[in-house]
Amino acid sequence: MSASFKYRRVLLKCSGEALMGPTPYGIDFETVDRIAKEVKSVQSLGAEVCLVIGGGNIFRGVAGATQGMQRASADYMGMLATTINALAVQHALERHNVDTRVQSAIRMDTVCEPYIRRRAIRHLEKGRVVIFAAGTGNPFFTTDTAAALRAAEMGCDALLKGTQVDGVYTDDPKKNPAATRYERVSYHDVLAKDLKVMDAAAISVARENKIPILVFSLHEPGGFAKVLTGEGRCTVVEGE
Protein backbone atom coordinates (compact mmCIF):
# COMPACT_ATOMS: atom_id res chain seq x y z
CA MET A 1 0.00 0.00 0.00
CA SER A 2 1.29 3.39 -0.96
CA ALA A 3 1.85 5.43 2.20
CA SER A 4 0.73 8.55 0.33
CA PHE A 5 -2.87 7.36 -0.02
CA LYS A 6 -5.25 9.17 2.29
CA TYR A 7 -7.98 6.57 1.71
CA ARG A 8 -7.19 2.84 1.59
CA ARG A 9 -10.45 1.32 0.32
CA VAL A 10 -12.80 3.40 -1.81
CA LEU A 11 -15.94 3.12 -3.87
CA LEU A 12 -16.14 5.11 -7.10
CA LYS A 13 -19.64 6.08 -8.24
CA CYS A 14 -20.05 7.36 -11.77
CA SER A 15 -23.18 7.98 -13.78
CA GLY A 16 -24.15 6.04 -16.84
CA GLU A 17 -23.95 9.33 -18.74
CA ALA A 18 -20.22 9.41 -17.96
CA LEU A 19 -19.80 6.43 -20.31
CA MET A 20 -21.43 8.21 -23.26
CA GLY A 21 -18.46 10.44 -24.06
CA PRO A 22 -19.37 12.62 -27.06
CA THR A 23 -22.20 10.32 -28.15
CA PRO A 24 -25.87 11.22 -27.44
CA TYR A 25 -26.63 7.87 -25.78
CA GLY A 26 -25.24 4.38 -25.20
CA ILE A 27 -21.58 3.53 -24.52
CA ASP A 28 -18.50 5.16 -26.00
CA PHE A 29 -15.78 2.57 -25.57
CA GLU A 30 -12.98 5.10 -25.89
CA THR A 31 -14.40 6.91 -22.85
CA VAL A 32 -14.87 3.63 -20.97
CA ASP A 33 -11.25 2.73 -21.72
CA ARG A 34 -10.06 6.06 -20.31
CA ILE A 35 -12.05 5.53 -17.10
CA ALA A 36 -10.62 2.00 -16.85
CA LYS A 37 -7.10 3.43 -17.04
CA GLU A 38 -7.92 5.83 -14.19
CA VAL A 39 -9.12 2.92 -12.06
CA LYS A 40 -6.06 0.83 -12.95
CA SER A 41 -3.70 3.66 -12.02
CA VAL A 42 -5.17 3.70 -8.51
CA GLN A 43 -5.56 -0.05 -8.11
CA SER A 44 -2.02 -0.77 -9.28
CA LEU A 45 -0.66 1.47 -6.52
CA GLY A 46 -2.35 -0.68 -3.89
CA ALA A 47 -5.71 0.93 -3.23
CA GLU A 48 -8.75 -1.34 -2.97
CA VAL A 49 -11.36 -0.15 -5.44
CA CYS A 50 -15.00 -0.99 -6.05
CA LEU A 51 -17.44 0.72 -8.40
CA VAL A 52 -21.12 1.48 -8.87
CA ILE A 53 -22.17 2.72 -12.30
CA GLY A 54 -25.53 4.25 -13.18
CA GLY A 55 -27.64 3.25 -16.16
CA GLY A 56 -28.94 6.59 -17.42
CA ASN A 57 -27.06 6.31 -20.73
CA ILE A 58 -29.29 3.34 -21.61
CA PHE A 59 -32.47 3.67 -19.56
CA ARG A 60 -33.53 5.77 -16.61
CA GLY A 61 -36.30 4.38 -14.41
CA VAL A 62 -37.77 7.73 -13.39
CA ALA A 63 -37.94 8.84 -17.03
CA GLY A 64 -39.71 5.61 -17.91
CA ALA A 65 -42.21 6.16 -15.13
CA THR A 66 -43.04 9.62 -16.48
CA GLN A 67 -43.96 8.00 -19.80
CA GLY A 68 -46.71 6.02 -18.11
CA MET A 69 -44.74 2.88 -17.26
CA GLN A 70 -45.17 1.49 -13.76
CA ARG A 71 -42.29 2.85 -11.66
CA ALA A 72 -41.21 -0.56 -10.33
CA SER A 73 -40.97 -2.03 -13.84
CA ALA A 74 -39.09 1.03 -15.09
CA ASP A 75 -36.62 0.77 -12.20
CA TYR A 76 -35.96 -2.90 -12.93
CA MET A 77 -35.16 -1.96 -16.52
CA GLY A 78 -32.76 0.65 -15.17
CA MET A 79 -31.08 -2.02 -13.03
CA LEU A 80 -30.52 -4.15 -16.13
CA ALA A 81 -28.98 -1.12 -17.83
CA THR A 82 -26.46 -0.77 -14.98
CA THR A 83 -25.47 -4.40 -15.52
CA ILE A 84 -24.75 -3.74 -19.20
CA ASN A 85 -22.52 -0.83 -18.17
CA ALA A 86 -20.80 -2.94 -15.50
CA LEU A 87 -19.92 -5.61 -18.07
CA ALA A 88 -18.56 -2.96 -20.43
CA VAL A 89 -16.31 -1.52 -17.72
CA GLN A 90 -15.24 -5.02 -16.68
CA HIS A 91 -14.19 -5.74 -20.26
CA ALA A 92 -12.18 -2.50 -20.42
CA LEU A 93 -10.44 -3.20 -17.10
CA GLU A 94 -9.54 -6.75 -18.08
CA ARG A 95 -8.07 -5.48 -21.35
CA HIS A 96 -5.62 -3.63 -19.09
CA ASN A 97 -4.94 -6.80 -17.06
CA VAL A 98 -6.96 -5.71 -14.02
CA ASP A 99 -8.60 -8.67 -12.27
CA THR A 100 -12.28 -7.75 -11.99
CA ARG A 101 -15.53 -9.19 -10.69
CA VAL A 102 -19.09 -8.02 -11.36
CA GLN A 103 -21.59 -8.72 -8.60
CA SER A 104 -25.29 -8.14 -9.25
CA ALA A 105 -28.02 -7.48 -6.70
CA ILE A 106 -30.34 -9.37 -9.09
CA ARG A 107 -29.18 -12.90 -9.82
CA MET A 108 -27.80 -13.31 -13.34
CA ASP A 109 -25.53 -16.29 -12.81
CA THR A 110 -24.70 -16.69 -16.51
CA VAL A 111 -23.00 -13.30 -16.76
CA CYS A 112 -21.89 -12.32 -13.25
CA GLU A 113 -21.76 -13.29 -9.60
CA PRO A 114 -24.63 -12.68 -7.18
CA TYR A 115 -23.92 -9.96 -4.62
CA ILE A 116 -22.49 -11.60 -1.50
CA ARG A 117 -20.93 -9.14 0.94
CA ARG A 118 -18.23 -11.39 2.36
CA ARG A 119 -17.21 -12.60 -1.09
CA ALA A 120 -16.98 -9.02 -2.34
CA ILE A 121 -14.76 -8.06 0.60
CA ARG A 122 -12.54 -11.06 -0.11
CA HIS A 123 -12.20 -9.99 -3.75
CA LEU A 124 -11.08 -6.53 -2.61
CA GLU A 125 -8.57 -8.03 -0.18
CA LYS A 126 -7.12 -10.07 -3.06
CA GLY A 127 -6.61 -6.93 -5.12
CA ARG A 128 -9.56 -7.36 -7.47
CA VAL A 129 -11.78 -4.50 -8.60
CA VAL A 130 -15.42 -5.23 -7.78
CA ILE A 131 -18.22 -3.65 -9.82
CA PHE A 132 -21.63 -3.68 -8.14
CA ALA A 133 -24.49 -3.92 -10.64
CA ALA A 134 -28.30 -3.69 -10.47
CA GLY A 135 -28.39 -1.04 -7.76
CA THR A 136 -29.78 -2.28 -4.45
CA GLY A 137 -31.90 -4.87 -6.25
CA ASN A 138 -35.04 -2.96 -5.25
CA PRO A 139 -37.14 -0.43 -7.15
CA PHE A 140 -37.56 3.14 -5.86
CA PHE A 141 -33.87 3.39 -4.91
CA THR A 142 -31.23 5.14 -7.02
CA THR A 143 -27.72 3.99 -7.84
CA ASP A 144 -26.52 6.85 -5.59
CA THR A 145 -28.20 5.09 -2.68
CA ALA A 146 -26.75 1.77 -3.84
CA ALA A 147 -23.28 3.34 -3.90
CA ALA A 148 -23.59 4.66 -0.33
CA LEU A 149 -24.99 1.32 0.84
CA ARG A 150 -22.20 -0.73 -0.77
CA ALA A 151 -19.56 1.70 0.54
CA ALA A 152 -20.89 1.12 4.05
CA GLU A 153 -21.06 -2.66 3.60
CA MET A 154 -17.52 -2.82 2.23
CA GLY A 155 -16.14 -0.65 5.03
CA CYS A 156 -14.87 1.93 2.55
CA ASP A 157 -12.83 4.87 3.78
CA ALA A 158 -14.46 7.19 1.24
CA LEU A 159 -17.12 7.36 -1.45
CA LEU A 160 -15.93 9.15 -4.56
CA LYS A 161 -18.43 10.58 -7.01
CA GLY A 162 -17.01 11.25 -10.46
CA THR A 163 -18.96 14.04 -12.16
CA GLN A 164 -18.76 16.48 -15.07
CA VAL A 165 -17.36 19.24 -12.82
CA ASP A 166 -14.60 19.45 -10.20
CA GLY A 167 -16.75 19.60 -7.08
CA VAL A 168 -19.95 20.92 -5.55
CA TYR A 169 -20.99 24.44 -6.52
CA THR A 170 -23.51 26.92 -5.17
CA ASP A 171 -25.24 26.69 -8.57
CA ASP A 172 -24.70 24.95 -11.91
CA PRO A 173 -21.32 26.37 -13.03
CA LYS A 174 -22.15 25.64 -16.68
CA LYS A 175 -25.21 27.89 -16.49
CA ASN A 176 -24.07 30.39 -13.87
CA PRO A 177 -20.46 31.67 -14.20
CA ALA A 178 -20.80 33.33 -10.78
CA ALA A 179 -21.28 29.96 -9.03
CA THR A 180 -18.59 29.23 -6.44
CA ARG A 181 -17.12 25.89 -5.47
CA TYR A 182 -17.18 24.48 -1.95
CA GLU A 183 -13.93 23.05 -0.60
CA ARG A 184 -15.85 21.35 2.19
CA VAL A 185 -19.54 21.12 2.99
CA SER A 186 -21.46 19.22 5.66
CA TYR A 187 -24.00 16.49 5.02
CA HIS A 188 -26.60 18.74 6.66
CA ASP A 189 -25.88 21.65 4.33
CA VAL A 190 -26.04 19.40 1.26
CA LEU A 191 -29.58 18.44 2.28
CA ALA A 192 -30.66 21.85 3.57
CA LYS A 193 -29.38 23.72 0.50
CA ASP A 194 -30.47 20.98 -1.93
CA LEU A 195 -27.01 20.91 -3.52
CA LYS A 196 -27.77 17.86 -5.70
CA VAL A 197 -24.64 15.94 -4.70
CA MET A 198 -26.58 12.71 -4.23
CA ASP A 199 -30.15 11.94 -3.25
CA ALA A 200 -31.25 12.30 0.36
CA ALA A 201 -31.20 8.57 1.09
CA ALA A 202 -27.58 8.26 -0.10
CA ILE A 203 -26.49 11.28 1.97
CA SER A 204 -28.22 9.80 5.03
CA VAL A 205 -26.45 6.45 4.67
CA ALA A 206 -23.07 8.16 4.27
CA ARG A 207 -23.76 10.43 7.23
CA GLU A 208 -24.84 7.61 9.54
CA ASN A 209 -21.73 5.59 8.67
CA LYS A 210 -19.36 8.60 8.68
CA ILE A 211 -18.22 7.98 5.10
CA PRO A 212 -16.84 11.16 3.47
CA ILE A 213 -18.10 11.85 -0.05
CA LEU A 214 -15.51 13.30 -2.43
CA VAL A 215 -16.96 14.95 -5.54
CA PHE A 216 -14.45 15.41 -8.38
CA SER A 217 -14.20 15.64 -12.15
CA LEU A 218 -14.02 12.28 -13.89
CA HIS A 219 -12.57 13.98 -16.95
CA GLU A 220 -9.30 15.24 -15.47
CA PRO A 221 -6.45 12.86 -16.36
CA GLY A 222 -5.02 11.41 -13.16
CA GLY A 223 -7.73 13.08 -11.11
CA PHE A 224 -8.82 9.88 -9.36
CA ALA A 225 -5.34 9.19 -7.97
CA LYS A 226 -4.80 12.84 -7.00
CA VAL A 227 -8.01 12.90 -4.98
CA LEU A 228 -7.00 9.74 -3.12
CA THR A 229 -3.69 11.29 -2.12
CA GLY A 230 -5.41 14.45 -0.91
CA GLU A 231 -3.92 16.59 -3.67
CA GLY A 232 -6.74 16.62 -6.22
CA ARG A 233 -9.34 19.33 -6.76
CA CYS A 234 -12.60 18.19 -5.24
CA THR A 235 -15.30 18.97 -2.70
CA VAL A 236 -15.35 16.93 0.50
CA VAL A 237 -18.75 16.26 2.07
CA GLU A 238 -18.40 15.29 5.72
CA GLY A 239 -19.30 16.39 9.23
CA GLU A 240 -22.65 17.26 10.70
Side-chain angles (χ1 to χ4, degrees):
M1 166 55 60
S2 170
S4 63
F5 272 136
K6 189 174 181 181
Y7 306 99
R8 186 182 68 85
R9 177 181 293 172
V10 297
L11 186 144
L12 172 64
K13 164 62 170 64
C14 60
S15 66
E17 287 86 350
L19 306 187
M20 293 193 306
T23 62
Y25 61 87
I27 300 170
D28 176 62
F29 285 96
E30 195 171 306
T31 300
V32 174
D33 190 70
R34 181 180 56 77
I35 293 172
K37 288 178 182 176
E38 291 285 314
V39 174
K40 179 181 179 178
S41 70
V42 168
Q43 189 262 356
S44 63
L45 290 173
E48 296 176 1
V49 185
C50 47
L51 292 87
V52 169
I53 305 163
N57 56 320
I58 299 171
F59 187 86
R60 185 178 293 280
V62 173
T66 62
Q67 299 297 317
M69 181 180 290
Q70 187 182 43
R71 172 66 188 273
S73 295
D75 280 354
Y76 281 121
M77 290 177 68
M79 291 178 216
L80 296 177
T82 70
T83 308
I84 292 171
N85 286 339
L87 293 174
V89 173
Q90 179 185 41
H91 169 73
L93 285 166
E94 291 186 342
R95 282 186 61 213
H96 292 288
N97 301 311
V98 177
D99 202 6
T100 311
R101 296 290 187 274
V102 174
Q103 288 199 348
S104 170
I106 300 173
R107 291 192 71 103
M108 302 181 216
D109 295 353
T110 305
V111 296
C112 58
E113 296 180 0
Y115 172 67
I116 300 172
R117 186 180 68 86
R118 287 180 179 271
R119 181 183 290 178
I121 291 172
R122 187 64 178 145
H123 287 322
L124 291 173
E125 290 171 346
K126 288 185 174 182
R128 297 166 182 153
V129 171
V130 182
I131 306 172
F132 299 113
T136 65
N138 301 290
F140 306 103
F141 291 93
T142 68
T143 49
D144 278 352
T145 302
L149 175 63
R150 297 291 182 245
E153 290 180 304
M154 294 300 105
C156 289
D157 300 314
L159 167 55
L160 280 77
K161 182 165 184 181
T163 67
Q164 309 299 313
V165 292
D166 57 0
V168 180
Y169 283 76
T170 53
D171 197 3
D172 186 343
K174 294 182 178 179
K175 297 178 181 178
N176 181 5
T180 57
R181 187 176 65 87
Y182 293 97
E183 286 290 336
R184 293 183 178 272
V185 62
S186 70
Y187 302 113
H188 176 270
D189 284 345
V190 166
L191 295 173
K193 297 178 181 179
D194 194 23
L195 294 176
K196 308 294 186 186
V197 175
M198 287 179 146
D199 63 63
I203 296 295
S204 295
V205 171
R207 182 181 189 175
E208 288 169 13
N209 292 278
K210 295 181 172 57
I211 302 170
I213 303 171
L214 283 65
V215 183
F216 73 107
S217 172
L218 200 58
H219 302 294
E220 181 191 350
F224 189 13
K226 289 177 183 176
V227 168
L228 287 193
T229 58
E231 300 172 358
R233 187 175 172 87
C234 67
T235 296
V236 180
V237 182
E238 62 181 353
E240 294 301 315

